[in-house]
Amino acid sequence: MKLGLKELPAKLRAFFAKFPPETEKAWSLGTARPNPFLPAKNEITGAWRGPVYSNRKQADLFKLAKMHNLQHLLPRQKTWNGEKNRRIIQSVIRPKGKKFERNKEARQEKKNTILQEALKKTDAFKQNLKKEKALNSRSPI
Amino acid sequence: MAKKQKARILIKLLSSAGTGYFYVRSRARTAPKLNFIKYDPRIGRRVIFNEAKMK
């Protein structure tokens, strides 16, 4: 596999298995090789087929290849002609989270305190009942 | 004519554990407020249920 022992992401691996690059420096040497990222015309029928990989998938592959410095080994993309200064954000810095996620701990704590208080009150209530029962059961004599 | 008040009213016995679970009961209008220890399935335990107004 490419790059020796380095493990590539599954998408890249699958792509290189189907469309391996011809040299270490480029995906294809000449124009003869059909590009899976571009539409192609069937010589016999004259009909055009769309790209094998959609724009979204091409972009995914490009980003993965760029992370591993292999972007030169991909064929020419349909929409990404020439690399511009583009910063690919690889992770979210400080995700905000939803409101209920932010409040979750506080809500749970509040629920717990209410429950504990209720249980205490229940115990006190039961003690009271026992006392009253004891008082009432005593005969007036 | 003004509507005559009923002798008995329906009340809600609301769980003190804050789960919102309630029982419904009737009592005489002149009787004191009701409190019972009943089972709350939302926590799976018995707690005090206090009277609350039935809307």
Side-chain angles (χ1 to χ4, degrees), chain B:
Chain B
M1 274 284 284
K3 206 170 173 189
K4 191 185 169 190
Q5 277 190 335
K6 292 188 194 171
R8 297 191 68 83
I9 51 165
L10 282 176
I11 51 147
K12 205 196 249 200
L13 288 167
L14 186 59
S15 170
S16 58
T19 60
Y21 193 77
F22 63 93
Y23 290 90
V24 177
R25 218 194 126 102
S26 83
R27 68 163 167 85
R29 192 175 286 271
T30 48
K33 296 225 168 184
L34 290 178
N35 292 301
F36 285 105
I37 294 179
K38 292 184 92 57
Y39 178 77
D40 189 334
R42 300 225 179 125
I43 50 171
R45 302 179 70 156
R46 288 182 194 152
V47 277
I48 298 183
F49 277 67
N50 297 313
E51 184 180 315
K53 260 193 187 173
M54 187 87 186
K55 281 184 191 169

Side-chain angles (χ1 to χ4, degrees), chain A residues 69-87:
Chain A
N69 286 320
L70 296 172
Q71 64 265 34
H72 54 281
L73 293 175
L74 289 181
R76 184 170 80 88
Q77 280 105 37
K78 189 178 175 191
T79 47
W80 291 31
N81 294 325
E83 212 186 302
K84 298 171 193 171
N85 283 337
R86 190 189 157 87
R87 278 195 304 144

Side-chain angles (χ1 to χ4, degrees), chain A residues 111 114-115 118-119 121-123 125-126 129, chain B residues 16-18 35-37 43 45-48:
Chain A
K111 266 191 186 178
I114 290 173
L115 181 60
L119 293 174
K121 283 183 190 171
T122 312
D123 282 338
F125 190 81
K126 279 188 191 173
L129 282 181
Chain B
S16 58
N35 292 301
F36 285 105
I37 294 179
I43 50 171
R45 302 179 70 156
R46 288 182 194 152
V47 277
I48 298 183

